[in-house]
Amino acid sequence: MSPVNRLQEVPTRPFHYAGARDRDLLCDRVSLARLVREYGTPLYVYSATNILGRVQLFAEAFAGMRATVCYSVKANSNLSILRLLAASGTGFDIVSGGELERVRQAAKSSLRRVVFSGVGKTAAEIDAALAARILVFNVESPAELDLLEQRARHLRKRAPVAMRVNPDVFAATHPYISTGMTTHKFGVAIGDATALYQRAAKSPYLVPTGVSVHIGSQIRVTEPFGQALQRVMEMVRELQSLHGIRIQHIDAGGGLGISYDDPAPTGKDRKDAQAFDPMAAVRGYAQHIRTALAGFDGDLLLEPGRFIIAQAGALLAQVLYTKRNGSKTFVVTDAAMNDLIRPALYQAYHSILPLRRQRNRPSAVVDVVGPVCETGDFFARDRELPALGAGDFLAILDAGAYGMSLSSNYNSRPRAAEVLVEGNRHRLIRRRETMRDLLAGERIFLNGGTE
Ligand code: LLP
């Protein structure tokens, strides 16, 4: 890995103004205006350097512990990004057969560093993961443990198992992405887990190897991570001392949050925001984990998704129209909620910057919206932005995680293209969908037959 002091050189976001009179928005050293000319919009752009810098931050913050980052594939599952991460030594947290297949295609040798989470694993998904010899199944219910045993017996394999425990710890975040309380569907109540370990230990087809816990996503106040792991540690000690079951790894899940409302390079976007320091954030998080796990002689797995890739990416869009309705001004872009659903689904805030900064342009308070036929199709509401006109381009920041991976074809809109920037180079890592792609799976039936 690169020397730790180089981390200081990886900025929080790779997007910054440069060029003549600091007018052009760049990703690392690549002009975004150039990328939209070459690839069109809507376009996702990611910085490889920024992604790897975040992985390195984890390595540094957890130095001295036997820690492995198992990047959470759901945050952004592009094959090139998985390959990039695998090459830096990460494992992967998956939640479906589809994500397993992505890891297989992008980084086959990393299959042995895959953890499989999720409350609804199917028999076919379990079979595929058993055949792939993944690191561990994070089991979320007694019924799943039964099915896993059945499938392992059928395939004559032994399945490595971790119970995903639900520690009943509250962590402040949006209610849709909070997972660590018994009112949520996730995990096994921590009080019920011991009995499941005993069952697994008796089975010739199951090997209890670990414990996992994941309390939610976009968590900025990090004490609850420590509280959850303290509860896990109590259980781990009890399993060892009372039941002779030795836990070899603890999986602390993902969930470390970022700042979405950090001051953008314009400095004007949000006046009240504090500058976000990713290094301090991971260090604070690691400190809670270290304290909770003091004395644990085993491996630590971490499943960050957002923290690794959210700030490395932006969604680029072009303004199609501006319009006024009553007192409101709308900026209509060619990107929409099908490309980035976070504002619509979680009322999420994303900073927006023009690709070309014009210093003496007045600002205006606008809603930035897409063409989809829903009032919830917006990227920003009542936002003060430099005045934008038809034809202008803009960047929606912090869109690297849960952007493209949550995109859809709603309103029959082909999905965006994706580009990976490395220093001054850029590569298309997913081409824009075509009309042909859009319709490829469908058949027209007429009078019971195909046309
Ligand atoms: N591990 C498990 C078991 C998870 O369920 C998740 C996320 C992660 C790890 C990664 O969490 P992260 O480090 O990215 O916070 N679509 C939402 C986020 C959903 C998170 C789901 N689970 C959003 O856009 O905010």
Side-chain angles (χ1 to χ4, degrees):
M1 293 206 182
S2 53
V4 166
N5 57 16
R6 287 193 40 214
L7 287 176
Q8 314 280 1
E9 295 161 23
V10 179
T12 302
R13 293 180 178 125
F15 302 97
H16 59 100
Y17 286 102
R21 282 179 287 144
D22 274 354
R23 283 202 327 188
D24 292 314
L25 194 62
L26 268 59
C27 176
D28 292 336
R29 279 178 286 147
V30 174
S31 152
L32 297 179
R34 179 175 167 194
L35 294 184
V36 297
R37 267 200 307 275
E38 191 160 338
Y39 302 109
T41 48
L43 182 70
Y44 273 101
V45 179
Y46 314 105
S47 155
T49 309
N50 200 270
I51 295 168
L52 294 179
R54 292 296 176 99
V55 175
Q56 179 62 21
L57 280 186
F58 272 83
E60 184 264 346
F62 288 92
M65 297 181 86
R66 286 173 5 224
T68 304
V69 166
C70 293
Y71 165 76
S72 195
V73 172
K74 63 176 83 68
N76 187 316
S77 55
N78 183 286
L79 295 174
S80 285
I81 284 169
L82 300 186
R83 168 73 57 90
L84 178 77
L85 286 163
S88 80
T90 73
F92 296 99
D93 159 49
I94 62 162
V95 290
S96 70
E99 289 187 350
L100 178 70
E101 191 51 31
R102 285 182 174 276
V103 175
R104 188 200 312 284
Q105 302 248 345
K108 200 163 182 210
S109 63
S110 302
L111 285 170
R112 62 196 158 83
R113 284 196 290 272
V114 162
V115 304
F116 192 175
S117 312
V119 293
K121 303 177 190 78
T122 66
E125 288 173 327
I126 290 173
D127 287 0
L130 281 169
R133 298 178 184 281
I134 63 163
L135 179 64
V136 68
F137 290 83
N138 287 342
V139 168
E140 305 222 12
S141 65
E144 184 192 331
L145 193 67
D146 287 344
L147 181 62
L148 180 59
E149 184 182 30
Q150 246 180 53
R151 299 316 305 167
R153 183 187 305 123
H154 181 72
L155 297 175
R156 295 176 210 283
K157 290 190 183 290
R158 301 184 79 202
V161 172
M163 303 306 159
R164 171 166 173 190
V165 298
N166 186 318
D168 205 19
V169 164
F170 173 77
T173 185
H174 190 280
Y176 288 3
I177 53 177
S178 175
T179 57
M181 299 189 66
T182 44
T183 47
H184 303 139
K185 70 179 175 183
F186 298 99
V188 176
I190 195 159
D192 300 338
T194 303
L196 293 181
Y197 278 102
Q198 288 177 281
R199 254 192 58 199
K202 283 196 202 110
S203 166
Y205 301 103
L206 301 172
V207 192
T209 58
V211 185
S212 77
V213 66
H214 171 78
I215 57 174
S217 191
Q218 181 54 11
I219 296 169
R220 300 282 312 276
V221 176
T222 48
E223 281 77 10
F225 291 110
Q227 289 161 13
L229 287 173
Q230 272 167 20
R231 292 185 188 176
V232 165
M233 271 305 283
E234 278 167 33
M235 188 187 81
V236 167
R237 284 193 208 98
E238 197 185 292
L239 282 173
Q240 170 86 53
S241 60
L242 297 183
H243 308 285
I245 297 171
R246 198 178 92 73
I247 293 300
Q248 296 160 35
H249 77 252
I250 293 178
D251 177 344
L256 181 60
I258 59 151
S259 167
Y260 282 95
D261 53 7
D262 223 29
T266 55
K268 272 201 216 137
D269 210 13
R270 273 262 178 124
K271 294 188 185 76
D272 55 349
Q274 297 291 309
F276 175 62
D277 176 357
M279 189 184 288
V282 193
R283 281 188 180 153
Y285 167 72
Q287 199 45 51
H288 290 298
I289 294 181
R290 278 178 193 278
T291 307
L293 298 192
F296 174 64
D297 177 27
D299 296 316
L300 170 66
L301 306 181
L302 300 153
E303 302 173 358
R306 183 191 321 266
F307 198 86
I308 301 288
I309 195 161
Q311 299 196 284
L315 172 61
L316 310 186
Q318 185 168 32
V319 177
L320 299 174
Y321 306 98
T322 58
K323 63 183 272 187
R324 284 183 69 88
N325 272 358
S327 61
K328 285 191 78 94
T329 304
F330 293 93
V331 173
V332 184
T333 71
D334 61 358
M337 67 188 287
N338 72 296
D339 300 300
L340 176 66
I341 203 174
R342 300 194 72 261
L345 198 54
Y346 315 108
Q347 299 78 48
Y349 179 95
H350 284 262
S351 289
I352 296 177
L353 299 177
L355 257 48
R356 168 153 288 207
R357 181 156 64 167
Q358 281 160 329
R359 287 190 189 279
N360 38 20
R361 262 207 204 176
S363 65
V365 175
V366 299
D367 280 17
V368 180
V369 301
V372 160
C373 303
E374 300 223 18
T375 304
D377 179 25
F378 61 88
F379 295 121
R381 281 186 152 164
D382 298 323
R383 183 84 57 92
E384 187 178 344
L385 291 175
L388 289 159
D392 288 344
F393 291 95
L394 48 83
I396 304 166
L397 300 189
D398 306 323
Y402 307 111
M404 189 66 188
S405 63
L406 266 84
S407 68
S408 76
N409 292 122
Y410 186 42
N411 277 203
S412 288
R413 291 168 49 85
R415 274 177 296 178
E418 293 176 289
V419 168
L420 185 64
V421 167
E422 274 185 277
N424 58 5
R425 295 193 308 158
H426 58 89
R427 280 178 296 197
L428 185 67
I429 57 172
R430 180 184 174 125
R431 64 162 173 79
R432 184 173 304 288
E433 266 179 356
T434 60
M435 291 300 163
R436 206 188 169 93
D437 295 329
L438 204 59
L439 305 179
E442 295 179 43
R443 301 285 177 272
I444 300 174
F445 283 96
L446 263 185
N447 303 325
T450 41
E451 268 282 271

